Amino acid sequence: MEPVVLTALIGAGGTVVGAAGVGPVIAHLLGRKVRAVQAALTQSQAALAQAQAKQQEAQAEQLRADADRIRQDIYQEITADLRAELQQAKAALHDVRQSLAATSAEAEQLRRRVVELESRIAHLATVEQRQAAELRAVQTERDQLRVQLAGKEATITALTAQLGDLKVQLAGLTTPAPHPTHT
């Protein structure tokens, strides 16, 4: 019971009983009772405070445990994500390396082919220069032979004309002159 209620009840009881001598005894008993109740109340409040402190400590411990569990979950999730990303990066790196190797091989083949073609072009350029020089020499020789041929044809024409003249002269010498007929 509350000390105020007890005090009110005892006060009312003392008034009803009306005994003047009973009042101090009752007051003394009531004082003891009030002190006992106050001590019990203080003890209860202390026990309650202790229980609340323990509960708060337990809640704090639970919060710490929850926080640790959440941190562990986050760590595991991040670790799993990082491992997955690392695997993807390794796979992509492997693909890039294979692509690089294939591209490098293709580039080397193209480089060899370019060197072959450049060598062939140089060879053909040399052949072309030789053939161009040979062509010029042949054209020069042809032109010289044409000049010589023209000279020979002119000589043949002149000799043919002389031969024609000589035939005419010879024909004039070999034809007998008409003999005068004597009449």
Side-chain angles (χ1 to χ4, degrees), residues 91-107:
L93 180 61
H94 179 72
D95 292 345
V96 167
R97 283 184 178 158
Q98 283 183 333
S99 178
L100 176 62
T103 303
S104 294
E106 290 171 3

Side-chain angles (χ1 to χ4, degrees), residues 11 20 25 36 44 62 77 108 112 116-118 125 128 175 177 183:
V25 171
S44 293
Q62 182 63 39
E77 188 175 323
E108 184 58 31
R112 281 193 302 256
E116 289 172 8
L117 291 175
E118 286 175 347
E128 180 185 27
T175 324
T183 17

Side-chain angles (χ1 to χ4, degrees), residues 152-166:
K152 296 294 180 188
E153 286 177 347
T155 303
I156 290 172
T157 303
L159 289 175
T160 303
Q162 273 183 344
L163 182 62
D165 289 343
L166 289 174

Side-chain angles (χ1 to χ4, degrees), residues 7-165:
T7 304
L9 285 176
I10 291 173
T15 305
V16 170
V17 172
V22 177
V25 171
I26 290 180
H28 176 72
L29 285 177
L30 281 180
R32 266 191 184 174
K33 189 70 170 174
V34 167
R35 283 193 294 277
V37 167
Q38 284 177 338
L41 180 62
T42 304
Q43 271 186 335
S44 293
Q45 286 174 342
L48 178 63
Q50 262 186 341
Q52 286 175 341
K54 283 183 181 181
Q55 184 180 10
Q56 286 176 349
E57 187 177 314
Q59 286 175 345
E61 186 62 33
Q62 182 63 39
L63 288 174
R64 282 192 290 274
D66 289 347
D68 286 344
R69 184 182 46 76
I70 290 170
R71 270 194 293 278
Q72 185 65 27
D73 290 348
I74 290 171
Y75 173 79
Q76 288 175 351
E77 188 175 323
I78 289 172
T79 302
D81 290 347
L82 289 175
R83 283 187 180 138
E85 286 181 29
L86 181 61
Q87 282 302 106
Q88 289 174 349
K90 283 181 180 179
L93 180 61
H94 179 72
D95 292 345
V96 167
R97 283 184 178 158
Q98 283 183 333
S99 178
L100 176 62
T103 303
S104 294
E106 290 171 3
E108 184 58 31
Q109 288 175 345
L110 291 173
R111 202 173 291 115
R112 281 193 302 256
R113 183 68 178 142
V114 165
V115 168
E116 289 172 8
L117 291 175
E118 286 175 347
S119 174
R120 179 81 174 134
I121 288 170
H123 173 72
L124 291 174
T126 303
V127 168
E128 180 185 27
Q129 288 173 354
R130 275 195 312 246
Q131 288 181 343
E134 187 179 333
L135 176 63
R136 284 190 299 275
V138 168
Q139 286 173 338
T140 302
E141 184 180 354
R142 179 199 65 196
D143 293 344
Q144 289 172 353
L145 290 175
R146 281 185 178 170
V147 169
Q148 288 177 7
L149 178 60
K152 296 294 180 188
E153 286 177 347
T155 303
I156 290 172
T157 303
L159 289 175
T160 303
Q162 273 183 344
L163 182 62
D165 289 343

Side-chain angles (χ1 to χ4, degrees), residues 125 144 158 179 181:
Q144 289 172 353
H179 291 297
T181 17

